[in-house]
């Protein structure tokens, strides 16, 4: 079993760009890998934020970065949000995701995905608590046994997700991780392997085989209907990506 720590953020455009590859990896190797999410706290606030790689220090400058990520990956992104209703911080969304994780890994997975879709596809400002709880209630209504939205709301207001989020931030700083997405792959007793940034699927496969050269997929993402039904909702681009570059 290969363990993967995935450092990401609901607001990270490159993590959304990377979503087709990440989904395909989990589909093809689902019995051979375990993963956990670490929330990165990409945007504490705009007061002291600076990204020297993209020369970003105010909201409007983030729009072109999202446009670049969209053009490179083909994933749809609502880049106009950075002019219309710019998020002021990614911390609320990160904490809300950690609150979902207190219920189950499955709840965390589904809620993280829902928040990504809310901002990337619908242009909803997930820095606002109203939007966070609205998305939780919608998810709970669709999958009653998956997420308790009212429990998430209570845990959020009681600060129960903050400690888990602090632990993620500490792990990130200890590992000197500053770009996202970042994946750390390891097999027990073996040296870890790190992937940083948006990468094609072939790089993910190579990383897995660096950790375990004997690994091979349990199933192939070569049937669009099977792949889409496995995930439930998926964008057209994700299905295309899952079937491409074979």
């Amino acid at each position: 079993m290969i363990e993967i720590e995935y450092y990401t953020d609901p607001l990270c455009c490159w993590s959304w760009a990377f979503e087709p590859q990440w989904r395909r990896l989990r589909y093809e190797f689902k019995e051979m890998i375990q993963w956990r999410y670490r929330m990165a706290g990409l945007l504490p606030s705009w007061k002291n934020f600076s990204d020297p790689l993209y020369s970003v220090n105010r909201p409007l400058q983030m729009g072109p970065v999202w446009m670049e990520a969209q053009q490179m990956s083909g994933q749809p992104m609502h880049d106009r949000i950075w002019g219309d209703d710019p998020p002021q911080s990614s911390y609320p969304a990160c904490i809300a995701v950690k609150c979902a994780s207190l219920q189950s890994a499955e709840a965390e997975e589904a809620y993280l995905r829902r928040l990504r879709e809310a901002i990337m596809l619908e242009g909803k400002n997930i820095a606002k608590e109203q939007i966070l709880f609205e998305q939780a209630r919608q998810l709970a209504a669709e999958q009653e046994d998956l997420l308790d939205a009212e429990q998430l709301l209570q845990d959020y207001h009681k600060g129960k997700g903050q400690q888990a989020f602090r632990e993620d931030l500490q792990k990130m700083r200890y590992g000197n991780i500053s770009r996202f997405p970042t994946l750390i792959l390891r097999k027990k007793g073996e040296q870890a392997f790190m992937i940083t940034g948006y990468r094609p699927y072939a790089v993910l496969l190579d990383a897995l085989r660096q950790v375990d050269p004997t690994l091979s997929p349990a199933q192939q993402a070569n049937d669009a209907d099977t792949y889409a039904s496995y995930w439930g909702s998926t964008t057209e681009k994700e299905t295309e990506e899952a079937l491409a570059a074979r």
Side-chain angles (χ1 to χ4, degrees), residues 13-79:
C13 65
W14 292 108
S15 293
W16 176 245
F18 183 67
E19 190 78 355
Q21 293 91 307
W22 176 233
R23 284 191 155 204
R24 179 177 171 185
L25 185 81
R26 289 176 291 160
Y27 178 79
E28 295 194 333
F29 294 90
K30 64 177 183 177
E31 302 298 335
M32 306 170 198
I33 61 175
Q34 293 179 336
W35 61 90
R36 69 175 300 170
Y37 292 102
R38 299 286 188 185
M39 294 298 106
L42 177 67
L43 177 63
S45 72
W46 284 105
K47 184 176 181 181
N48 297 309
F49 180 82
S50 178
D51 184 345
L53 181 63
Y54 290 102
S55 300
V56 172
N57 53 39
R58 64 180 188 271
L60 277 175
Q61 294 171 327
M62 190 67 80
V65 178
W66 280 35
M67 292 175 65
E68 179 185 346
Q70 176 173 297
Q71 291 168 1
M72 184 175 293
S73 67
Q75 284 284 82
M77 298 185 194
H78 202 289
D79 56 86

Side-chain angles (χ1 to χ4, degrees), residues 44 46 53 60 100 102 127 138 143 154 162 170 180 207 218 220 239:
W46 284 105
L53 181 63
L60 277 175
L102 298 177
Q138 289 180 8
Q143 302 184 56
Q154 291 177 25
Q162 292 185 11
Q170 289 172 356
F180 312 102
Q220 299 286 340
T239 299

Side-chain angles (χ1 to χ4, degrees), residues 204-246:
L204 274 179
L205 289 181
D206 182 63
L208 279 179
R209 288 162 183 160
Q210 291 284 343
V211 178
D212 186 349
T214 68
L215 210 60
S216 60
Q219 56 189 352
Q220 299 286 340
N222 55 9
D223 183 320
D225 292 333
T226 301
Y227 183 77
S229 64
Y230 175 79
W231 287 113
S233 64
T234 186
T235 66
E236 180 180 351
K237 180 61 181 176
E238 286 177 324
T239 299
E240 292 173 359
E241 286 281 353
L243 305 179
R246 303 214 56 79

